Amino acid sequence: MEMIAERLEQILAHGALELRGDGRAGSGVVLTMQSIASTAIADPSLHVQEWPFFSSARKGAPTRGFLRLSRRPIEKASQVTHPHIAMMVDEGVSAFVDFAQGVPPGGIFVINTPLTPEAAAEKYRLTGRVYTIDGNTIAMQHLKQPLGNISLFALLCDILPGLSAEAGREHLEILLTKRRLPRPLIESNGNLFMASVGVARHADCVCGTTTDHHVSPFRGYGELAPGAQSRLRLSRTNLTSAYARTGFQLHFSDPDGLCNGCGHCIINCPENIISFRPDAATGVRVTGAEISRYCKLCNECIAVCPKKLFSEIPILHSQAV
Ligand code: SF4
Ligand code: SF4
């Protein structure tokens, strides 16, 4: 632990110590980053920058948090692309993003998982110091919910310069009080935090190559014509833009009349843009979605349709929905 503390102090002495956390909406990645930030900022020698990054507005969608700690004013305002510490709050996010992307050789990986550090390094091809903690199981005992973020915060209080378990516990309570959580729940979170102190495992592992997690250089927008990106984002006729995955749009197809009128897509669409007509047999029959009206490709309709009638397709190959 001492060597890691020295290494992190050295990074701080020369610039900003950068962290990136990946999780899914509802897994607490934002709370973890905010907890670190508000604990660190109590140290007058530290400058702190913290901000979250969300994808589509649906439970389970990938979320990401960035954090910089420095002994000097932080001038960077970009995403953290080469974090010294990469954290995975919810292993489910590994289906969508590479939490270790861009971590320099010998980086630090912090994972909420029941796996040993060696097994996690093998699974995610990690080279560097790997910390694991089974936060979900500890949280089940205190909150009756598998939320590993508080355990990860306790772990980071142990390794980050300027932080300590006592300060972390205190600032967690302040944060949760600000969020107006009921008192018993704040206390359960505090107990969960303390139960997580000192139980993480760690190992120095060599399981990845230098190319496993490299950040791909920007290579343009594939088949999209030059300028199409700004059109996608700004066009008056395609207001889907702001949150949608670049270059894709929603597609609805029901050539065999499979829509059973269950209405799940209509109820779950946060933008209320699913179109339908009355049907004597099924009540309603869905005809598509008005994607020109703010479809943000949140994927709710894709996820809930039992007949799999919605999909995402590249925008150049799209047909009207
Ligand atoms: S149409 Fe589907 S993808 Fe678009 S906003 Fe509605 S639910 Fe989300
Ligand atoms: S969820 Fe699918 S089957 Fe149900 S109403 Fe919508 S399109 Fe039809």
Side-chain angles (χ1 to χ4, degrees):
M1 199 74 88
E2 292 72 38
M3 276 183 58
I4 283 290
E6 264 171 43
R7 234 173 75 196
L8 296 180
E9 275 296 354
Q10 270 187 6
I11 294 169
L12 270 184
H14 294 102
L17 171 60
E18 299 189 317
L19 278 83
R20 190 181 61 212
D22 280 298
R24 295 197 294 169
S27 70
V29 65
V30 176
L31 177 66
T32 312
M33 291 304 208
Q34 285 178 344
S35 306
I36 300 168
S38 61
T39 311
I41 213 159
D43 178 342
S45 71
L46 280 176
H47 294 263
V48 184
Q49 180 194 73
E50 179 273 329
W51 53 283
F53 184 77
F54 300 102
S55 56
S56 57
R58 87 187 141 91
K59 197 167 181 205
T63 49
R64 188 164 253 197
F66 304 109
L67 186 108
R68 290 187 171 96
L69 302 176
S70 177
R71 301 258 186 241
R72 300 176 212 158
I74 299 166
E75 283 168 7
K76 268 191 188 172
S78 58
Q79 296 185 28
V80 172
T81 52
H82 295 81
H84 301 102
I85 302 178
M87 170 176 76
M88 181 153 57
V89 181
D90 179 336
E91 283 191 281
V93 80
S94 63
F96 308 103
V97 298
D98 175 11
F99 91 104
Q101 190 180 52
V103 177
I108 299 170
F109 306 93
V110 176
I111 311 170
N112 169 32
T113 176
L115 296 174
T116 62
E118 293 83 357
E122 186 74 35
K123 180 172 178 186
Y124 298 111
R125 302 188 60 76
L126 306 176
T127 292
R129 171 67 63 95
V130 180
Y131 291 88
T132 63
I133 187 166
D134 188 1
N136 288 7
T137 301
I138 308 173
M140 282 305 287
Q141 289 155 11
H142 292 270
L143 301 179
K144 306 210 180 330
Q145 286 193 67
L147 286 169
N149 61 319
I150 301 293
S151 298
L152 287 181
F153 173 45
L155 194 170
L156 286 161
C157 282
D158 211 18
I159 61 175
L160 287 173
L163 274 70
S164 67
E166 295 68 35
R169 165 87 176 77
E170 185 190 326
H171 284 274
L172 179 66
E173 181 163 342
I174 295 170
L175 252 180
L176 296 181
T177 305
K178 269 194 197 160
R179 289 187 173 201
R180 298 173 195 239
L181 255 66
R183 196 70 224 160
L185 198 49
I186 295 175
E187 269 161 29
S188 304
N189 274 282
N191 294 338
L192 161 58
F193 178 92
M194 292 315 288
S196 307
V197 174
V199 301
R201 296 174 284 183
H202 68 267
D204 292 312
C205 306
V206 185
C207 294
T209 65
T210 46
T211 55
D212 274 337
H213 306 287
H214 80 161
V215 181
S216 316
F218 179 69
R219 293 190 198 283
Y221 295 107
E223 294 180 23
L224 294 177
Q229 171 66 2
S230 47
R231 185 174 170 278
L232 285 176
R233 298 264 168 217
L234 302 175
S235 166
R236 280 190 211 146
T237 54
N238 184 5
L239 301 174
T240 65
S241 42
Y243 297 99
R245 191 151 76 95
T246 305
F248 286 79
Q249 76 176 30
L250 186 73
H251 181 60
F252 174 85
S253 172
D254 188 12
D256 301 322
L258 294 178
C259 174
N260 62 15
C262 68
H264 289 329
C265 57
I266 301 167
I267 294 162
N268 281 284
C269 173
E271 300 296 339
N272 194 21
I273 53 173
I274 304 290
S275 43
F276 56 89
R277 58 177 164 75
D279 185 274
T282 57
V284 293
R285 201 170 281 271
V286 166
T287 53
E290 295 171 58
I291 60 163
S292 60
R293 285 181 48 215
Y294 302 104
C295 170
K296 51 195 179 194
L297 269 191
C298 69
N299 280 12
E300 284 295 332
C301 53
I302 298 174
V304 296
C305 178
K307 302 294 181 187
K308 306 282 172 234
L309 302 178
F310 292 92
S311 59
E312 253 184 42
I313 57 167
I315 213 157
L316 284 189
H317 302 146
S318 64
Q319 297 152 14
V321 293

